[in-house]
Amino acid sequence: MKVLGLNGWTERGHDGGASLIVDGKLVFSIEEEKLICKRHAYDTIPKESIKECLKSQNLSLDDIDRFVFGWDFEKIYEMLGKKFISKEEMSKALFDDKKYADKLDYLDHHQAHAYSTFIPSNYDEALVFVIDGQGEYMGTSLFLANRKTNEMKLLMETPISLGYFYAGITQQIGFRGGEEGKTMGLASYGKPVYLNELRKLISFDEQEDIKCAFHIDKVSKDEEDASLEKWKELLSEFIPKREGKIIEVTEEIMPYADLAMSAQKILEEIMTGIIRKYVKETGVHNVCLAGGVALNCPTSSAVERMEEVDKVFVQPAANDGGISLGAAIKGSIDLGETPVIEMIPYQGPEYSQKEIEKALKEKEYDYEIYDDIEKVIAKLISEGKIVANFQGRLELGPRALGNRSLLASPEKYESLVRMNTLKGREVWRPLAPAVMYDKQTTCFDSDIFSPHMTKNFNVLNEMKNRLEAITHVDGTARIQSVTKEYNELFYKIIDEFYQITKIPVLINTSFNVKGEPIVCTPEEAIDSFERMNLDYMSIGKCLIKRKQ
Ligand SMILES: [Fe+2]
């Protein structure tokens, strides 16, 4: 059976995409933003993603047995007292043809998140925690999932949104919507001095799960704006809203770093509180996380450290970029299949050596071809160069995990400054390391496998002066554990670097120009390489140098 999962619409649409499951196996998944080169692909139908999914398997729409859309628009409209367009019209909008209406299903948004993380976790049973801005009408939900019975039982749901809370904090600091990652980075500079003030506004509550000073339960597409307005009003009672960029973390900024740290602690208290309560109630000790807030690494690491919790799986595309995957999984289950999804995030398009060389020739690049390109890359990095690495299949999710990455040595603080400057990022923001998993404990205080860069660990004291560029101000790093099985070439690159320097770590940050999504095609890679004025790029087996 062939199932196409979908996300992305002209209203409330962001981070759309498509995923294709064939006979219970995930064969392709991509976010629309990477194909149309527009971050988050707001209010866009995922037409290019659909095309790419079909092209990858030489299929046509007629070959697809089921289409599942990861939002239940009929439910939203019903609650608004309106009627959503018919399935025929929806089919026409998505596929330019009405004839697929009978094969089209809608899936509750939080359920799509839940399936996207539970099935790839491969746990038999788990508590599945979905934390995002807002689903059809809920902000936070918790399910008890069972693989054998295929049950996804709702244990808790509330319209209170931790996503909007964190977005409110982000805007109070003066960052823009979508810059929650900056708040997370800034938090490490601060102390939780506003914890008590924040607890009065939002906190874990044994009876209600989350207690909030306000909640909006009326469904409205303006709900996000209304929540943000309310948070601004409440937060402004003890700290004024800041305006403008944060170039440096100065004394003047410290209260905002403290606010960010206080918000981290609140998030941690609520999430661990809820999980503790439901572990006790169900006796289930494994946890799966999804929803944009699950990308908050210190918090998911705090969940992992809980005594009551055995294992934690974080979906790499925890944001709405993973919705099409969850929708496809549910479609496959509904067709009687038992999808087994190995969550290898390299699910996008790849390009042949021939296609790569054609693109390089068109741009008039001289290139060298190497069969052992990993050695060449490692040597350049060990000499202090930044190398753009374009290899294999594109990653799913917001993090580049080696295939569309900028790589550099983690040794000196200057690397952090150079890399952040190149990417147009503030210098105070941390960069993440990729580490050979078999040598992880020689640098970090945990042997937990973190292949998707979703967990934070402490850098060992004795390694801090050798890992200056990736040790954040609080001594932690958001690591990517790399194994040969997961990404052979990337592992080899780090290994070659290790042979030269005895450091099994590289800086790994996404290959994209500021404000743009991660590059997808060789042409985009070459174009970004030029615009970022990079020195070297390894692309397939080719190495190119900046034109003089
Ligand atoms: Fe979501």
Side-chain angles (χ1 to χ4, degrees), residues 5 25-26 56 63 148 196 227 232 236 242 298 318 366 373 410 421 431 438-439 452 474 494 497 528 538:
K25 189 175 177 296
L26 175 66
S56 75
D63 296 317
K148 273 198 200 106
N196 283 334
S227 290
K232 187 172 135 191
S236 296
R242 247 197 101 255
D366 292 329
I373 190 104
T421 309
L431 284 172
D438 50 317
K439 298 198 167 47
H452 308 140
D474 59 357
I494 312 174
F497 180 77
S528 300
S538 72

Side-chain angles (χ1 to χ4, degrees), residues 35-47:
L35 293 168
I36 62 169
C37 205
K38 251 194 199 156
R39 218 155 181 187
H40 303 300
Y42 289 111
D43 299 335
T44 303
I45 294 173
K47 298 219 171 190

Side-chain angles (χ1 to χ4, degrees), residues 14 71 109-110 113 130-135 291-292 318-320 323:
H14 62 91
W71 278 98
H109 186 71
H110 274 202
H113 272 307
V130 179
I131 342 143
D132 66 357
Q134 183 194 346
N319 63 343
D320 280 7
I323 283 295

Side-chain angles (χ1 to χ4, degrees), residues 388 404-406 509-512 518-519 525 528-529 532 534 537:
R404 301 288 188 279
S405 288
L406 298 181
T509 186
S510 56
F511 183 10
N512 61 284
I518 296 172
V519 299
S528 300
F529 171 73
M532 293 172 89
L534 291 162
M537 173 161 69

Side-chain angles (χ1 to χ4, degrees), residues 27-256:
V27 292
F28 202 90
S29 185
I30 189 158
E31 301 111 304
E32 189 75 0
E33 65 160 28
K34 293 171 184 167
L35 293 168
I36 62 169
C37 205
K38 251 194 199 156
R39 218 155 181 187
H40 303 300
Y42 289 111
D43 299 335
T44 303
I45 294 173
K47 298 219 171 190
E48 297 305 315
S49 306
I50 296 170
K51 268 189 224 158
E52 283 291 323
C53 280
L54 296 172
K55 193 174 101 188
S56 75
Q57 305 299 308
N58 253 327
L59 297 173
S60 76
L61 284 167
D62 290 344
D63 296 317
I64 304 296
D65 298 291
R66 185 69 60 98
F67 302 94
V68 184
F69 197 93
W71 278 98
D72 191 341
F73 284 120
E74 289 181 343
K75 195 194 253 177
I76 296 173
Y77 273 67
E78 197 187 296
M79 285 184 298
L80 289 170
K82 294 189 208 162
K83 205 168 159 32
F84 189 57
I85 57 173
S86 68
K87 281 204 174 158
E88 278 76 18
E89 288 166 298
M90 187 68 172
S91 169
K92 178 103 175 71
L94 291 169
F95 313 118
D96 301 318
D97 200 320
K98 285 183 179 174
K99 69 175 176 179
Y100 304 106
D102 291 345
K103 292 182 179 178
L104 179 63
D105 283 331
Y106 296 113
L107 176 65
D108 184 277
H109 186 71
H110 274 202
Q111 283 213 26
H113 272 307
Y115 280 102
S116 83
T117 184
F118 175 62
I119 296 298
S121 76
N122 281 320
Y123 301 155
D124 290 332
E125 211 178 11
L127 291 172
V128 182
F129 204 178
V130 179
I131 342 143
D132 66 357
Q134 183 194 346
E136 282 73 13
Y137 59 101
M138 290 294 153
T140 312
S141 53
L142 184 84
F143 301 85
L144 176 63
N146 186 299
R147 187 169 301 269
K148 273 198 200 106
T149 60
N150 276 329
E151 210 183 352
M152 185 65 75
K153 187 179 164 197
L154 184 68
L155 298 183
M156 179 279 274
E157 61 177 356
T158 165
I160 299 169
S161 168
L162 294 172
Y164 291 162
F165 158 67
Y166 205 79
I169 296 282
T170 297
Q171 302 207 6
Q172 201 71 7
I173 296 170
F175 299 138
R176 285 174 311 195
E179 292 187 332
E180 281 75 10
K182 290 191 184 182
T183 305
M184 189 169 86
L186 184 66
S188 311
Y189 292 85
K191 293 192 176 66
V193 297
Y194 296 108
L195 198 51
N196 283 334
E197 275 89 345
L198 288 185
R199 275 191 192 130
K200 285 176 209 151
L201 304 179
I202 189 164
S203 60
F204 170 68
D205 179 90
E206 196 66 39
Q207 261 70 51
E208 295 174 53
D209 294 313
I210 310 177
K211 201 174 188 160
C212 182
F214 73 98
H215 91 236
I216 304 169
D217 58 4
K218 191 167 74 65
V219 174
S220 147
K221 67 181 164 61
D222 303 323
E223 191 153 324
E224 182 173 1
D225 291 343
S227 290
L228 290 176
E229 210 31 61
K230 194 76 198 163
W231 278 117
K232 187 172 135 191
E233 188 190 311
L234 292 169
L235 295 170
S236 296
E237 283 172 19
F238 58 89
I239 184 165
K241 185 177 177 332
R242 247 197 101 255
E243 301 291 342
K245 288 182 179 164
I246 294 179
I247 309 292
E248 234 185 299
V249 185
T250 56
E251 274 307 300
E252 181 247 329
I253 299 301
M254 281 316 287
Y256 294 91

